[in-house]
Amino acid sequence: LALVGCVKNVIELGSEFETQMTRVVTLAGATREQVEEMRKPVLALAQDTAVGPSELAKGLYVLMSAGRSTGVAMEQLKISAQMSALGMGNMHDTTLAVTGAVFAYQKQNLTAADAANVLIKAVQLGNMEIQQLVPAIARVNPIAAAMGVSFRDVAATIATFTHAGVDAAMAATGV
């Protein structure tokens, strides 16, 4: 009976992964060839990071929806998966945070690794979760980047406000 339950779980996990990868094609605009090219690296990343394949596929959906190439998508997916494995949030939220920052600060050449490090530090030093930081910082990033305010300064300001008891959305308004 226990073996039947294990087999059922494996089948359900595989089915969820396939469903998420299909979303990458049907909704995010990736080609079937691109998805097939990324299938094995995604599964390998799942083993390396202990983040489930279907969760990784959710992050891949965010990246391909943002128009990332397969190489850039896999690089950013790995960084987001490492954040998620650290307990920084689910793959959707961590991927959205990293790719949003990289996009907003593309003229300043912000890398995914640098964005992740800043986000991790902001959550550690502030009084918030990544799920609260993502929508707050996303509202500010494009304007701050255009004005020459660094991503590090924006994140540090929000962390400082939240550490003082202000919620992340209000802190972003203050920025």
Side-chain angles (χ1 to χ4, degrees):
L1 191 59
L3 181 61
V4 172
C6 286
V7 170
K8 180 183 174 196
N9 286 342
V10 168
I11 291 171
E12 286 175 0
L13 288 174
S15 175
E16 176 66 18
F17 174 67
E18 290 304 321
T19 298
Q20 293 303 324
M21 292 300 273
T22 299
R23 286 184 71 228
V24 173
V25 173
T26 58
L27 299 175
T31 66
R32 292 196 187 285
E33 292 78 22
Q34 287 174 314
V35 170
E36 284 306 313
E37 178 185 331
M38 293 182 287
R39 182 178 302 281
K40 284 184 183 176
V42 167
L43 292 172
L45 184 59
Q47 290 180 344
D48 293 345
T49 61
V51 175
S54 61
E55 277 298 302
L56 291 171
K58 290 175 185 176
L60 188 59
Y61 172 82
V62 170
L63 292 162
M64 298 308 287
S65 292
R68 300 292 187 251
S69 68
T70 55
V72 170
M74 288 308 302
E75 172 195 333
Q76 290 184 2
L77 188 69
K78 180 179 180 180
I79 290 165
S80 298
Q82 290 166 342
M83 288 177 67
S84 186
L86 288 172
M88 292 296 297
N90 63 44
M91 279 302 298
H92 178 268
D93 292 338
T94 59
T95 307
L96 200 58
V98 170
T99 197
V102 169
F103 180 77
Y105 285 89
Q106 60 190 334
K107 289 183 181 174
Q108 290 86 350
N109 296 317
L110 180 68
T111 67
D114 289 341
N117 288 334
V118 169
L119 290 163
I120 290 168
K121 189 55 81 176
V123 170
Q124 287 173 339
L125 296 176
N127 185 12
M128 64 190 150
E129 300 288 328
I130 193 83
Q131 297 87 342
Q132 297 162 320
L133 178 59
V134 171
I137 205 165
R139 288 196 327 255
V140 178
N141 279 342
I143 298 164
M147 294 177 62
V149 180
S150 75
F151 180 62
R152 183 177 312 272
D153 288 346
V154 170
T157 301
I158 293 173
T160 300
F161 273 100
T162 61
H163 189 72
V166 177
D167 74 356
M170 185 63 74
T173 302
V175 172

